[in-house]
C-alpha cells in the first residue's frame, strides 16, 4: 500500500503543532518517526489515522482519501497501537485479540474471526497465553498482545506509538524483531514513533525526522542520524561505532546550556 501524507498541518487552539508535513511510504517498510519531545510525533500519527482532524492537508491510501472514510473502513486500513492503551479488565488474552476483528463483525465474532485470532496468537508464539487475564502478564507480554490485536484487524498499515517504551532490554529487542518479521510476513507497512535511536539504527528504514513543526529530513537511518544532526536536533554530543556489522550511537554529553 502506498501511504501519502500531503501538506498536513495541525494546531491546538492557536498553537501550531506541525505544519505542511508531506511524505510518502510505499510498500512493505518498517519506518521510524523520530524527533525531540514535543515535536508532535504522536499527534501526527493520530492525524494520519483520523483520531484527530488536521487543520489542513490530506492522507491518501493508494490514492483514496482516508479522512473521508467511515471509521470501520479506516480500521481496516490502519492498525494502531498507542503508547498508553486502556484494556478491558474483563477480557482475557483471546478475547482481547478477537476484539481486533471489530471492523469486520456484525454484532458478534464468527468462527472465522476466532480462527484468525487463534492464528495470530500462534504466529506470535502466544497461544499458551490465550486464557490468561491481561493483568497477569508482564509489560512485554502485554505489549505483544496489543500488537496481536492490531494485527488481527488485518491492516494494510500499522501505526505504533513508542512500542518499546517501559520495556526491559530483552523485550525491546524482541518487540522490534517481531515487528520487523511481521512487516515481511504480513506484507504490510509500519510507521513507529521510536525514541531509542539505536533501535532506529538497527531495525528501521526509512527514518522521518520531525522537529520545529516540520519534517527536517527523510532517508535511511545512517543518513538521518549523524553527529551533526544529533547536536542540532537532540542537543547531544555523540559518536558512532560498528560492532558485528551493526552501527550504534554512543551518547557522550548533553549540550544543554
Amino acid at each position: 500500500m502506498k501511504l501519502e501524507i500531503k501538506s498536513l498541518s495541525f494546531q491546538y487552539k492557536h498553537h501550531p503543532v506541525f505544519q505542511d508535513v508531506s511524505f510518502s511510504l510505499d510498500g512493505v517498510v518498517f519506518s521510524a518517526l523520530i524527533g525531540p519531545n514535543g515535536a508532535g510525533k504522536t499527534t501526527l500519527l493520530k492525524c494520519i489515522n483520523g483520531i484527530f482532524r488536521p487543520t489542513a492537508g490530506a492522507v491518501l491510501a493508494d490514492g483514496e482519501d482516508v479522512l473521508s472514510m467511515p471509521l470501520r473502513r479506516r480500521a481496516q486500513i490502519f492498525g494502531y497501537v498507542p503508547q498508553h492503551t486502556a484494556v478491558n479488565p474483563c477480557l482475557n488474552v483471546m478475547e482481547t485479540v478477537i476484539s481486533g476483528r471489530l471492523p469486520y463483525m456484525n454484532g458478534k465474532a464468527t468462527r472465522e474471526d476466532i480462527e484468525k485470532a487463534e492464528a495470530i496468537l500462534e504466529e506470535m508464539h502466544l497461544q499458551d497465553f490465550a486464557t490468561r487475564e491481561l493483568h497477569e502478564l508482564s509489560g512485554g507480554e502485554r505489549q505483544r498482545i496489543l500488537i496481536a490485536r492490531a494485527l488481527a484487524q488485518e491492516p494494510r498499515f500499522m501505526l505504533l506509538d513508542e512500542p518499546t517504551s517501559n520495556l526491559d532490554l530483552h523485550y525491546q529487542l524482541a518487540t522490534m524483531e517481531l515487528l520487523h518479521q511481521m512487516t515481511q510476513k504480513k506484507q504490510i507497512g509500519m510507521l513507529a514513533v521510536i525514541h531509542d535511536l539505536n533501535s532506529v539504527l538497527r531495525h528501521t528504514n526509512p527514518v522521518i525526522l520531525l522537529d520545529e513543526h516540520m519534517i527536517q529530513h527523510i532517508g535511511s537511518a545512517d543518513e538521518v542520524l549523524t553527529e551533526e544532526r544529533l547536536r542540532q536536533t537532540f542537543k547531544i554530543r555523540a559518536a558512532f561505532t560498528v560492532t558485528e556489522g551493526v552501527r550504534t550511537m554512543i551518547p557522550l554529553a548533553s549540550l544543554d546550556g
Side-chain angles (χ1 to χ4, degrees), residues 182-195:
M182 285 297 165
T183 301
Q184 301 299 317
K185 188 170 186 176
K186 300 295 183 183
Q187 289 293 287
I188 60 177
M190 294 196 186
L191 175 61
V193 171
I194 301 173
H195 278 293

Side-chain angles (χ1 to χ4, degrees), residues 17-91:
V17 179
F18 53 80
Q19 295 176 309
D20 199 26
V21 165
S22 296
F23 62 88
S24 64
L25 298 171
D26 198 357
V28 180
V29 294
F30 183 15
S31 49
L33 178 61
I34 66 171
N37 288 340
K41 302 180 296 296
T42 294
T43 302
L44 178 55
L45 285 192
K46 290 181 176 181
C47 285
I48 291 172
N49 68 9
I51 293 175
F52 290 168
R53 178 66 58 174
T55 51
V59 178
L60 304 178
D62 284 341
E64 191 175 356
D65 184 359
V66 170
L67 302 179
S68 66
M69 294 176 183
L71 178 60
R72 177 176 291 224
R73 173 65 176 145
R74 287 205 308 269
Q76 293 171 355
I77 292 178
F78 291 119
Y80 178 51
V81 182
Q83 182 181 0
H84 303 293
T85 304
V87 294
N88 189 332
C90 300
L91 300 182

Side-chain angles (χ1 to χ4, degrees), residues 135-152:
H135 66 81
E136 298 175 342
L137 306 182
S138 70
E141 291 164 345
R142 190 180 303 115
Q143 185 73 339
R144 291 165 78 91
I145 298 303
L146 297 177
I147 292 169
R149 181 177 68 178
L151 286 169

Side-chain angles (χ1 to χ4, degrees), residues 84-186:
H84 303 293
T85 304
V87 294
N88 189 332
C90 300
L91 300 182
N92 63 24
V93 166
M94 174 58 78
E95 291 165 337
T96 298
V97 176
I98 289 174
S99 71
R101 299 293 304 164
L102 282 172
Y104 306 95
M105 291 183 194
N106 290 312
K108 66 177 183 178
T110 64
R111 167 43 57 183
E112 180 183 9
D113 294 321
I114 294 169
E115 289 175 352
K116 290 191 179 218
E118 289 173 341
I120 288 291
L121 286 175
E122 188 169 344
E123 286 177 340
M124 296 178 64
H125 308 291
L126 294 169
Q127 61 271 29
D128 293 341
F129 294 87
T131 59
R132 292 179 62 181
E133 305 294 330
L134 287 184
H135 66 81
E136 298 175 342
L137 306 182
S138 70
E141 291 164 345
R142 190 180 303 115
Q143 185 73 339
R144 291 165 78 91
I145 298 303
L146 297 177
I147 292 169
R149 181 177 68 178
L151 286 169
Q153 290 177 226
E154 297 183 302
R156 297 164 66 191
F157 214 95
M158 292 268 287
L159 303 171
L160 306 105
D161 192 359
E162 298 189 45
T164 60
S165 64
N166 302 316
L167 301 184
D168 63 26
L169 286 174
H170 167 76
Y171 277 115
Q172 286 179 30
L173 282 169
T175 299
M176 293 297 287
E177 288 165 1
L178 168 70
L179 292 171
H180 189 269
Q181 291 166 7
M182 285 297 165
T183 301
Q184 301 299 317
K185 188 170 186 176
K186 300 295 183 183

